[in-house]
């Protein structure tokens, strides 16, 4: 079964925290100014992808 | 046993305008305060268009030239088909008057907190809170090292990405129709009337939000957009780039890129046992304008006062702390509620209706008119179109 994950494009990310504010699972966090996504908590709902102003997030098949 | 060095009355998480104001107020009232900020530099990177009302700001702090980037005479509002109305700063309300240099302002305000006696730690992140019987154990991480401090009460001023509320039992997660997704360029060599803030309306170019240009002195300005993710079909940046291209704005002089999210849906309770939330963490930004600096400062001040009262009484119960909710609601909460209701109507309004509204306003004599009387005038002019708004203002 193909599984998915959310990935961040570090060159596009502006470390704004908008994606963190919409995640119900507390799966993402700005560690100082570095966005970290915790795969164990993330269910790939895609809300953070929708909210990102910089188009820095995408869901990828792995 | 804890040693007294790491025991505080209040720990404030986040050193934005909300946190600094809370820390300053609490320290002035004699509390032992620690304010932690996870970034290495207070105020940077900026997540803001930096517009504030002169009157409101002056009522909270002594205005310093060092952090005023520009002053504006009012606002120009462009309808979806680019009809323009010009409002004076008084008519335009909360977000026009001064344009701040927040990198300097935020740092200055944090210094005021320090001057009042608050301890300030940067590059220090709150990573969790454990409720103890007589206090809170707040876990911090500074430059890779984890340690704990103890406090009677925590003030969560940790902005849109807030975790403090969640740790303390207040759900602050935003839905896609409760946030504006924003991006902004600081552009130089702009060719606009720099005595005004400029606002462009229309769901077509900025679904569920608007586009702005706030002057920052000389020919530079903050050119930005907010869109509501539940209505947008592409990322905010793509809408802004399209608009700038259509407007013919020269984007070869972009000196800064800013992104951010603003909560645009107020909540009922910003307090819990041993916890107060302020600013964006408490969703205190305005649902229509997205402006949140002033309310963060006002809420911070109230939170500092309530914390001092709680310490005096040694009562940190949810029941006592709900006095905080009562006080911010009395102050600016009513406006938040009204603007939330107005926002719901505006979100449903078509671009054609918005055009008609702006055209009607152009014909009205707008001198010394409050929002209420503007709406009254509109309803008189075109009852069918604007009847819907009457409950909110009359
Ligand atoms: C693009 C954009 C334009 C805007 N334009 C305007 C405008 O023109 N006028 C206006 O009034 N408002 C505007 N706003 C809104 C305004 O920026 C916010 O309302 C305001 O900054 C809120 O202040 P605050 O103190 O609540 O939070 P913030 O200023 O966001 O500060 C929160 C702080 O907490 C820190 N923090 C978060 N988590 C932790 C943790 N776990 N540990 C330690 N520190 C932590 C963060 O690093 C941050 O410094 C705009 C917002 C955006 C995104
Ligand atoms: S995809 Fe959903 S669960 Fe995963 S980080 Fe984004 S918002 Fe959180
Ligand atoms: S919303 Fe986008 S730009 Fe902002 S921190 Fe998340 S990934 Fe980065």
């Amino acid at each position: 079964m193909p599984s998915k994950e959310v990935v961040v494009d570090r060159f596009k990310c502006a470390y704004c925290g908008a994606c963190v504010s919409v995640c119900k699972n507390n799966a993402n966090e700005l560690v100082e100014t570095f966005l970290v996504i915790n795969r164990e908590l993330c269910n790939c709902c895609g809300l953070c992808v929708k909210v990102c102003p910089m188009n820095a997030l995408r869901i990828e098949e792995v | 046993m804890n040693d007294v060095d790491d025991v505080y009355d209040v720990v404030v998480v986040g050193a934005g305008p909300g946190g600094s104001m809370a820390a300053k107020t609490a320290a002035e009232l004699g509390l032992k305060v620690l304010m932690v900020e996870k970034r290495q530099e207070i105020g940077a990177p900026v997540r803001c268009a930096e517009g504030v009302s002169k009157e409101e700001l002056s009522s909270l702090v002594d205005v310093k030239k060092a952090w005023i980037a520009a002053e504006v005479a009012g606002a120009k509002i462009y309808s979806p088909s680019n009809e323009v109305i010009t409002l004076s700063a008084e008519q335009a309300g909360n977000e026009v008057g001064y344009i701040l240099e927040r990198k300097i302002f935020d740092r200055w305000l944090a210094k005021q907190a320090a001057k009042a006696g608050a301890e300030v730690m940067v590059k220090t992140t709150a990573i969790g809170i454990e409720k103890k019987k007589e206090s809170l154990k707040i876990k911090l991480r500074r430059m890779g090292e984890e340690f704990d401090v103890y406090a009677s009460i925590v003030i969560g001023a940790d902005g849109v990405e807030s975790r403090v509320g969640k740790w303390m039992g207040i759900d602050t997660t935003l839905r896609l129709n409760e946030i504006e997704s924003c991006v902004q360029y600081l552009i130089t060599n702009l060719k606009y009337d720099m005595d005004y803030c400029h606002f462009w309306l229309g769901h077509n170019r900025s679904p569920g939000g608007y586009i702005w240009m706030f002057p920052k002195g000389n020919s530079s300005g903050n050119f930005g957009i907010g869109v509501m993710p539940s209505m947008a079909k592409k990322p905010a940046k793509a809408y802004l780039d399209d608009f700038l291209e259509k407007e013919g704005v020269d984007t070869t002089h972009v000196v800064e890129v800013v992104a951010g999210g603003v909560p645009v849906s107020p909540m009922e309770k910003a307090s819990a046992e041993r916890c107060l939330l302020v600013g964006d963490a408490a969703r205190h930004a305005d649902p229509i304008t997205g402006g949140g600096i002033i309310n963060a400062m006002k809420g911070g001040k109230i939170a500092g006062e309530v914390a001092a009262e709680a310490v005096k009484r040694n009562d940190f119960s949810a029941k006592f702390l709900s006095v905080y909710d009562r006080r911010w609601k009395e102050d600016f909460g009513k406006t938040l509620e009204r603007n939330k209701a107005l926002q719901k109507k505006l979100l449903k309004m078509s671009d054609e209706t918005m055009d008609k509204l702006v055209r009607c306003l152009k014909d009205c004599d707008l001198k010394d008119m409050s929002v209420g009387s503007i709406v009254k005038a509109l309803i008189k002019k075109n009852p069918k179109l604007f009847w819907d708004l009457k409950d909110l203002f009359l």
Side-chain angles (χ1 to χ4, degrees):
Chain A
M1 218 182 67
S3 74
K4 293 189 224 160
E5 70 177 25
V6 176
V7 285
V8 54
D9 181 338
R10 304 223 170 268
F11 296 108
K12 288 185 181 169
C13 176
Y15 316 113
C16 72
C19 53
V20 177
S21 72
V22 298
C23 182
K24 285 189 195 73
N25 302 327
N26 295 343
N28 50 9
E29 186 192 346
L30 272 180
V31 176
E32 293 192 20
T33 52
F34 193 80
L35 183 71
V36 176
I37 300 161
N38 182 338
R39 270 182 221 142
E40 251 134 61
L41 298 175
C42 172
N43 64 2
C44 285
C45 70
L47 291 175
C48 57
V49 179
K50 276 286 280 182
V51 89
C52 176
M54 301 299 287
N55 198 22
L57 294 168
R58 60 181 191 279
I59 294 181
E60 262 184 9
E61 308 246 314
V62 286
Chain B
M1 270 310 287
N2 323 320
D3 80 70
V4 269
D5 280 355
D6 56 14
V7 181
Y8 296 88
D9 293 315
V10 195
V11 169
V12 178
V13 180
S20 288
M21 207 61 190
K24 172 177 177 282
T25 308
E28 279 167 356
L29 292 169
L31 302 198
K32 188 172 178 215
V33 182
L34 170 67
M35 175 163 71
V36 296
E37 167 56 54
K38 71 175 169 183
R39 306 195 218 173
Q40 64 185 30
E41 240 181 289
I42 288 170
V46 178
R47 297 172 183 164
C48 190
E50 311 177 295
V52 286
S53 133
K54 273 189 197 178
E55 205 185 291
E56 299 258 32
L57 187 69
S58 327
S59 74
L60 289 159
V61 286
D62 286 335
V63 175
K64 301 277 182 244
K65 273 207 187 96
W67 37 255
I68 303 290
E71 273 185 56
V72 291
K76 288 190 185 289
I77 300 175
Y78 304 77
S79 78
S81 63
N82 279 342
E83 300 261 5
V84 196
I85 39 170
T86 304
L87 303 177
S88 73
E90 294 75 48
Q91 293 162 343
N94 243 332
E95 277 67 42
V96 289
Y98 288 132
I99 314 300
L100 301 174
E101 191 63 72
R102 274 199 63 184
K103 276 181 202 141
I104 305 177
F105 175 72
D106 283 22
R107 210 173 292 187
W108 175 85
L109 202 56
K111 274 190 205 154
Q112 302 306 303
K115 264 192 196 157
E119 278 179 53
V120 181
M121 284 182 197
V122 293
K123 226 166 160 48
T124 307
T125 307
I127 53 173
I129 299 177
E130 205 178 296
K131 294 181 201 172
K132 297 272 179 198
K133 210 158 170 243
E134 296 295 331
S135 68
L136 299 170
K137 180 171 163 183
I138 299 170
K139 295 171 198 272
L140 302 175
R141 183 182 55 220
R142 176 162 58 167
M143 297 181 232
E145 189 197 327
E146 292 185 12
F147 60 104
D148 302 325
V149 295
Y150 297 82
S152 299
I153 182 169
V154 65
I155 295 181
D158 44 347
V160 74
E161 52 183 303
S162 180
R163 283 270 150 89
V164 171
K166 293 183 187 184
W167 292 329
M168 300 301 290
I170 307 172
D171 182 14
T172 51
T173 309
L174 295 165
R175 280 179 287 215
L176 292 185
N177 60 359
E178 295 177 332
I179 183 170
E180 291 285 323
S181 169
C182 306
V183 60
Q184 169 181 289
Y185 304 136
L186 175 56
I187 308 181
T188 61
N189 299 342
L190 282 171
K191 294 183 177 60
Y192 285 89
D193 184 340
M194 292 307 207
D195 284 331
Y196 288 88
C197 285
H198 300 252
F199 297 90
W200 290 265
L201 311 177
H203 294 312
N204 214 0
R205 47 194 179 195
S206 52
Y210 62 88
I211 295 167
W212 65 81
M213 196 288 284
F214 290 3
K216 281 205 73 182
N218 300 319
S219 62
S220 63
N222 287 331
F223 224 126
I225 190 171
V227 301
M228 189 169 272
S230 59
M231 294 171 76
K233 295 190 178 64
K234 52 189 181 186
K237 183 177 180 296
Y239 282 103
L240 181 62
D241 290 341
D242 282 355
F243 176 78
L244 293 174
E245 197 188 320
K246 278 205 192 98
E247 275 274 301
V249 176
D250 180 0
T251 51
T252 53
H253 306 281
V254 172
V255 295
E256 185 174 43
V257 179
V258 164
V262 190
V264 286
S265 189
M267 59 188 197
E268 259 309 298
K269 266 189 93 51
S271 69
E273 191 184 338
R274 294 192 187 275
C275 173
L276 302 172
L277 300 181
V278 310
D280 284 6
R283 304 191 185 183
H284 282 168
D286 188 282
I288 302 256
T289 64
I293 301 170
I294 295 292
N295 286 353
M297 291 173 73
K298 286 182 174 172
K301 188 158 181 258
I302 301 172
E305 287 165 5
V306 170
E309 189 59 34
V311 168
K312 205 167 103 195
R313 296 169 179 235
N314 195 25
D315 184 354
F316 305 96
S317 64
K319 185 161 173 268
F320 174 69
L321 293 177
S322 68
V323 72
Y324 171 65
D325 291 310
R326 208 189 67 226
R327 285 189 55 194
W328 66 257
K329 282 180 191 175
E330 273 167 16
D331 191 322
F332 53 81
K334 287 191 209 100
T335 310
L336 292 184
E337 280 305 321
R338 188 197 70 189
N339 284 1
K340 180 68 200 174
L342 182 58
Q343 177 218 43
K344 279 190 187 150
K345 306 215 181 212
L346 290 175
L347 288 176
K348 278 192 250 155
M349 199 177 270
S350 68
D351 280 5
E352 292 72 44
T353 310
M354 224 184 281
D355 265 319
K356 278 186 202 155
L357 189 147
V358 170
R359 233 171 282 140
C360 274
L361 276 176
K362 268 178 98 165
D363 299 341
C364 300
D365 176 20
L366 278 172
K367 244 185 218 128
D368 64 74
M369 271 197 177
S370 63
V371 181
S373 35
I374 289 176
V375 173
K376 261 187 225 165
L378 282 175
I379 293 170
K380 222 167 151 191
K381 264 209 146 69
N382 199 332
K384 228 169 97 204
L385 213 51
F386 304 120
W387 191 244
D388 218 26
L389 300 176
K390 73 172 189 318
D391 316 338
L392 298 176
F393 296 99
L394 306 183

